[in-house]
């Protein structure tokens, strides 16, 4: 009899605990109904992968280049989409704007010749003005008095107009590892837009918005992910995409003796494309020419 009572007590205790746990799971499911199958926590705990230090004595050769990335191309669309927040995911430009607004890292005014990109810091309001998002005074009719009045209107930021990036890269040969290495040094978003008065939208205007120093933004990029279309459970962070070179672009300038002039300053059309490929090939040929077979 005592044994039966003992087992009945264990049974009811276990059932009560199970129902309590089930109740907690249901409650959590209701609270996190928009989180998907499970609440992702690992991405908020991610840290950028540490990069090895570079000694001056180990660098036997280096070259600085500026590369243009068009985010409308299929391979680069992971930087452009989503244009609005989807399941906590932001695209690259909205992520950078969030970091600037929260003072996570500074933004810098883009110089005309892309030299000293990180010299003049700018505020978030100045960045908004680059989008044409300044407060403007317009004439509107007051329906109560019938008179025209000056009204201040805050224009929206159209971040979907940011369709290109310039990244500054430093390629170097490390004699200790006997390999060609590359470090991304800065990112500059480019806005493509039309004039307000351009009804036919025939002339596309390009504006460099700001520069950010890549080593300073890596922490934010590592904690935010881009959708991996092949496996949604293993999304890449934006830092992964840059470190793994998961993008395509072409070189628009290399450091040179002519005030670091851009390719388009001395070549155009297919000649500019050929010059870009020549610069790219010269970088990789340096490593290959060091070896003898």
């Amino acid at each position: 009899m005592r044994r039966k009572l003992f087992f009945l007590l264990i049974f009811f205790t276990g059932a009560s605990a199970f129902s309590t746990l089930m109740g907690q799971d249901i409650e959590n499911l209701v609270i996190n109904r928009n989180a998907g199958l499970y609440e992702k926590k690992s991405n908020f705990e991610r840290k950028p992968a540490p990069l090895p230090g570079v000694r001056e004595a180990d660098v036997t050769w280096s070259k600085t280049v500026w590369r243009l990335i068009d985010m409308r191309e299929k391979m680069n669309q992971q930087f452009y989409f989503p244009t609005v927040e989807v399941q906590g995911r932001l695209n690259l430009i909205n992520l950078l704007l969030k970091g600037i607004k929260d003072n996570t890292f500074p933004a810098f005014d883009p110089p005309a010749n892309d030299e000293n990109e990180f010299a003049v810091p700018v505020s978030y309001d100045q960045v908004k003005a680059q989008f044409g998002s300044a407060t403007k005074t317009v004439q509107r009719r007051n329906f109560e008095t019938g008179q025209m009045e000056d009204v201040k209107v805050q224009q929206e930021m159209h971040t979907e107009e940011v369709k290109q990036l310039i990244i500054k890269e430093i390629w170097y040969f490390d004699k200790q590892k006997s390999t060609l290495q590359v470090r991304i040094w800065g990112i500059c978003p480019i806005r493509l837009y039309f004039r307000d008065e351009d009804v036919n939208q025939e002339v596309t205007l390009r504006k460099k918005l700001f520069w950010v120093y890549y080593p300073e933004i890596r922490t934010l990029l590592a904690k935010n992910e881009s959708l991996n279309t092949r496996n949604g459970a293993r999304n890449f962070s934006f830092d992964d995409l840059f470190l793994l070179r998961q993008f395509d672009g072409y070189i628009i300038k290399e450091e040179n003796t002519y005030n670091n002039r851009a390719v388009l300053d001395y070549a155009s059309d297919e000649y500019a494309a050929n010059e870009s490929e020549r610069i790219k090939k010269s970088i990789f040929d340096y490593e290959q020419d060091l070896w003898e077979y």
Side-chain angles (χ1 to χ4, degrees), residues 17-50:
F18 178 75
S19 62
T20 302
L21 291 175
M22 287 297 292
Q24 290 178 351
D25 290 341
I26 293 174
E27 182 182 357
N28 291 335
L29 182 62
V30 172
I31 294 175
N32 301 318
R33 60 169 61 95
N34 294 322
L37 182 62
Y38 51 87
E39 184 178 1
K40 293 186 177 181
K41 297 181 180 179
S42 59
N43 57 330
F44 297 107
E45 300 171 355
R46 287 180 182 175
K47 294 182 180 180

Side-chain angles (χ1 to χ4, degrees), residues 129-132 188-193 205-209:
Q130 293 283 60
F131 283 91
C188 175
I190 298 179
R191 176 188 174 209
L192 304 181
Y193 64 104
L205 302 179
R206 300 176 74 254
K207 177 182 285 188
K208 299 174 184 176
L209 299 176

Side-chain angles (χ1 to χ4, degrees), residues 174-201:
D174 191 327
K175 71 177 184 180
Q176 291 295 330
K177 302 180 179 65
S178 297
T179 56
L180 188 67
Q181 305 284 338
V182 61
R183 294 285 175 89
I184 296 177
W185 217 239
I187 298 177
C188 175
I190 298 179
R191 176 188 174 209
L192 304 181
Y193 64 104
F194 302 98
R195 296 184 188 272
D196 294 337
E197 63 273 11
D198 190 0
V199 179
N200 297 324
Q201 297 186 348

